[in-house]
Amino acid sequence: GHNNLNAKLVLLGDMGAGKSSLVLRFVKGQFLEFQESTIGAAFFSQTLAVNDATVKFEIWDTAGQERYHSLAPMYYRGAAAAIIVYDITSIDSFARAKKWVLELQKQGNPNMVMALAGNKADLEDKKKVTVEEAHAYAEENGLFFMETSAKTAINVNDLFYEIGL
Ligand code: GDP
Ligand code: MG
């Protein structure tokens, strides 16, 4: 049979981690070296065939700046899935990702699927957060984990598919 599902997905994480770039890569197959900062949040929709179902993702790409923090619950409330993004070259962005995970664990939908994405995997020589560290953290908290690169496209589709299954 054929099923049509709707899924609200939210991207959270530090400003500059690459949330908008991951969405742009996934939705349009593009990458911009000078991606503009998101103001408030941006909305995209993408329909995907997953097994024998059609899933319409409603993707909310949030800004990440602290001054927009109070708006975040509007975006993650009712979300089936969240992708929390950090930049593998920034310890601070990893700390910020952990704060988002904590907030979602406290305030988010308890059935929410969460994925942690260590983005900018192409910048291996500038890496500050090890795979081992991020993987261990993800495992402790029941999150999917992947290193991604919006620039090279590595693992980007896999990340979104993982969330949709
Ligand atoms: P956001 O604030 O989390 O939405 O981050 P953006 O998507 O705006 O990206 C911030 C900057 O990082 C931009 O200049 C992007 O071109 C760059 N960027 C994003 N993803 C990657 C990546 O995977 N690799 C590299 N090298 N740069 C990236
Ligand atoms: Mg953005």
Side-chain angles (χ1 to χ4, degrees):
H2 214 81
N3 296 311
N4 292 303
L5 306 169
N6 279 321
K8 181 176 170 185
L9 165 65
V10 65
L11 283 96
L12 298 164
D14 215 357
M15 181 186 170
K19 298 175 297 299
S20 298
S21 298
L22 286 169
V23 175
L24 184 67
R25 170 60 75 191
F26 177 63
V27 173
K28 294 195 180 148
Q30 294 171 2
F31 176 76
L32 301 171
E33 285 290 345
F34 302 99
Q35 174 66 41
E36 277 181 47
S37 287
T38 311
I39 298 180
F43 175 76
F44 301 84
S45 103
Q46 175 83 337
T47 302
L48 273 189
V50 180
N51 299 327
D52 63 346
T54 302
V55 182
K56 185 179 171 220
F57 283 105
E58 294 169 357
I59 304 171
W60 288 96
D61 169 24
T62 64
Q65 289 102 314
E66 200 49 55
R67 71 185 139 122
Y68 295 117
H69 194 144
S70 62
L71 298 178
M74 249 172 32
Y75 302 110
Y76 65 69
R77 201 173 293 134
I83 297 176
I84 298 106
V85 184
Y86 69 93
D87 168 353
I88 67 157
T89 72
S90 161
I91 300 269
D92 285 353
S93 77
F94 187 55
R96 185 95 174 88
K98 289 178 175 176
K99 286 191 182 166
W100 279 118
V101 171
L102 210 59
E103 178 164 342
L104 293 178
Q105 286 168 340
K106 284 191 193 151
Q107 332 253 21
N109 155 22
N111 303 317
M112 189 186 287
V113 176
M114 286 194 246
L116 180 67
N119 191 44
K120 309 197 187 180
D122 56 290
L123 302 177
E124 182 65 32
D125 53 332
K126 292 184 184 152
K127 191 168 189 165
K128 297 277 165 31
V129 182
T130 67
V131 180
E132 291 75 19
E133 182 182 4
H135 189 261
Y137 171 76
E139 208 155 64
E140 277 164 28
N141 288 277
L143 317 170
F144 291 111
F145 169 66
M146 259 180 223
E147 283 198 343
T148 58
S149 170
K151 185 168 181 172
T152 67
I154 198 135
N155 282 343
V156 176
N157 283 348
D158 287 349
L159 173 69
F160 284 88
Y161 281 105
E162 195 81 79
I163 278 289
L165 292 176

